[in-house]
Amino acid sequence: MSDSSPLPPVRLPAEAELARDALATPLLSRAARLARWAGPGTRVGAGGELVEEQLPAAAAELGLTDDEDGAAYANEAWRIAVDTGLVEIVDEEEGTVAVGEELAALTSGGPADVLGLWLGALDTVLADASVPDLEDLVDAMEEGGEIDFSQLDWDPEAESEFLEGVLGNLYLLTVTEGGAGDGPIPLPALAASMIVPDDMGEPTDDILEQVSDAMMRLDDQFRLLDPVGLVEFQPVDEALMAAADEPVADPADSIDESDVSRYGMVRLTPLGLYGVRARMLEAGVDAPAVGDLVDKGADVLLGATSTFPQAAAQAEIEQWLARREPLAAARELLAAARGADEGAPLRRLRCQQALSLVGPEAEPALREVLDDAELGGLARVWLAEHGAADVPAPSEDLVFWLTVDTIAAQLSLEGNSDELQALVEGLAAQHSGFFSAAWRVEHPATADVLEAMGRLHPDKKVAKEARKAAFKARSAQG
């Protein structure tokens, strides 16, 4: 997320479903169990941690007696309980505790209350994930019991920014159309996205070593983030740990799927997408979600979805339409689609997409704009597709205007795509006098469209005709 381009919208489950997911996460569910277990005899240390002699009982309460890491899991869950307010320290000197006010939110609160508590737990875990591991801390311990931070080569702010950047990249890879989607991402590829410069061809040995180091750090961090439900993580194969000092294979190389999975695989859960987005919004990042526009006007809907990937735009439009009567929605959409500004063609394309989802109840709205210079063409298309009777034939001027408008929209949406090139070739082949008529079309984008056709058409003679027509159009526009 190194540039400022807008993020694609994320599709999230309903808050109620996300809240159920949050309650089911190992870490929060364990924290809640320990909060209910705590009583008058529970004692904590100066930092709010359970005293060591009570850890076995806490582990037993969680059903972790036979787990060699049971005490550590209990300690971690207890810390979450304290940090989120599920447990409150009553007397620091005596080390006594009581059930916190927030515990009731897990049973009687709404989805937003539950998700708020989960986000608090996530903050704690992310802070823990940015701290050096215990072995490094012990190695840096001085004789007086103080930690010599200079030995750790640890910059807390840089470490936190690195992890946030990784999660941002993981989020972007998940929500981008054509990206990973719901599938897992290989850990080497994720590490490389943070280390390897975009303009670097073959990574150097130094870069590959940095990728390997980052991959090992992420392995440790994602192991911590899995129990809070942020990610689903397949750790690095233990057999590979012995070779941790060796650089990983060039992440750009094609590696057999069974091999790359040994280096770790990670995906954001739906709850994880919610959590990362919440942190982005808190940081001032524009991270839209499908459904954000349901209470906005059609002008906002068409303007915003103009930059959305196709699937996300369709989903947003469907939710918007579900809140409105078809006829009123169609009229509002058509009114918002008007305009001669640069973004108008793409708004009209999204308007067509939206109207394709509206039933025959919308027919009066389409008939009302049949004589409109900007909307008459798309109205005729809609009416014909819905089998309407008495649809007047379009004039030649209207046909050419609609063609220019459609190509202008496709240029804004896709650029010089293969699909657009095929459309351009088809138009030139079907209409021998296309360019001699097209340059006269009174559309703000006529010259730009003809220039694009000149770039896209593979036939040099036809391309030259398009460029000449573009010159005439620009001259006519003054």
Side-chain angles (χ1 to χ4, degrees), residues 150-424:
S150 64
Q151 289 188 33
L152 287 174
D153 189 25
W154 176 52
D155 181 339
E157 186 175 342
E159 196 68 30
S160 176
E161 287 180 359
F162 175 81
L163 183 54
E164 292 285 358
V166 168
L167 293 176
N169 280 2
L170 189 54
Y171 181 94
L172 186 58
L173 289 167
T174 304
V175 302
T176 300
E177 194 166 53
D182 294 333
I185 295 171
L187 208 56
L190 188 57
S193 74
M194 295 295 295
I195 304 297
V196 181
D198 292 337
D199 57 353
M200 175 173 279
E202 187 74 17
T204 63
D205 288 344
D206 178 60
I207 288 292
L208 290 177
E209 185 174 350
Q210 290 181 50
V211 171
S212 181
D213 290 344
M215 194 180 77
M216 291 297 108
R217 284 160 62 197
L218 290 175
D219 182 71
D220 290 336
Q221 291 170 327
F222 285 135
R223 288 173 191 257
L224 291 175
L225 296 173
D226 190 308
V228 78
L230 188 76
V231 297
E232 287 181 2
F233 181 53
Q234 176 184 323
V236 176
D237 190 331
E238 295 290 345
L240 297 173
M241 292 298 190
D245 291 334
E246 296 293 325
V248 298
D250 182 346
D253 287 346
S254 177
I255 307 174
D256 181 75
E257 184 177 341
S258 62
D259 287 336
V260 76
S261 66
R262 296 182 64 204
Y263 288 93
M265 304 287 284
V266 64
R267 64 177 285 268
L268 282 173
T269 64
L271 186 61
L273 285 168
Y274 169 84
V276 174
R277 176 176 180 261
R279 295 178 67 82
M280 287 179 173
L281 293 175
E282 188 177 348
V285 176
D286 183 11
V290 171
D292 283 350
L293 306 178
V294 291
D295 58 348
K296 306 296 184 184
D299 55 338
V300 177
L301 175 76
L302 297 182
T305 56
S306 293
T307 63
F308 286 9
Q310 178 69 17
Q314 174 108 352
E316 187 69 61
I317 290 168
E318 286 174 350
Q319 292 195 26
W320 189 88
L321 288 171
R323 298 271 190 106
R324 290 160 177 81
E325 292 296 326
L327 180 56
R331 285 181 172 136
E332 188 178 350
L333 286 165
L334 288 164
R338 287 191 175 92
D341 56 285
E342 188 177 347
L346 192 47
R347 286 202 308 277
R348 283 186 281 273
L349 185 66
R350 288 297 190 222
C351 178
Q352 280 187 284
Q353 180 183 351
L355 291 171
S356 71
L357 303 173
V358 178
E361 304 94 327
E363 182 174 335
L366 278 300
R367 289 195 177 275
E368 290 166 3
V369 297
L370 281 172
D371 294 331
D372 189 292
E374 296 175 349
L375 305 177
L378 68 85
R380 284 170 171 78
V381 170
W382 187 94
L383 290 167
E385 288 177 346
H386 285 74
D390 301 323
V391 181
S395 65
E396 184 177 82
D397 288 346
L398 184 58
V399 170
F400 275 94
W401 193 96
L402 184 60
T403 300
V404 169
D405 199 56
T406 301
I407 296 177
Q410 294 292 345
L411 280 169
S412 299
L413 187 64
E414 302 173 357
N416 299 335
S417 65
D418 293 340
E419 292 79 4
L420 186 55
Q421 181 174 340
L423 174 61
V424 166

Side-chain angles (χ1 to χ4, degrees), residues 23-42:
L23 290 171
T25 59
L27 197 52
L28 191 57
S29 62
R30 288 171 183 169
R33 288 180 65 178
L34 289 185
R36 296 186 182 99
W37 162 82
T42 306

Side-chain angles (χ1 to χ4, degrees), residues 424 435 448-460 462-467 470:
V424 166
F435 296 111
D448 292 335
V449 164
L450 291 171
E451 284 179 357
M453 293 181 77
R455 290 195 309 271
L456 290 168
H457 205 291
D459 187 293
K460 291 183 178 180
V462 176
K464 184 177 181 180
E465 283 185 58
R467 290 193 294 272

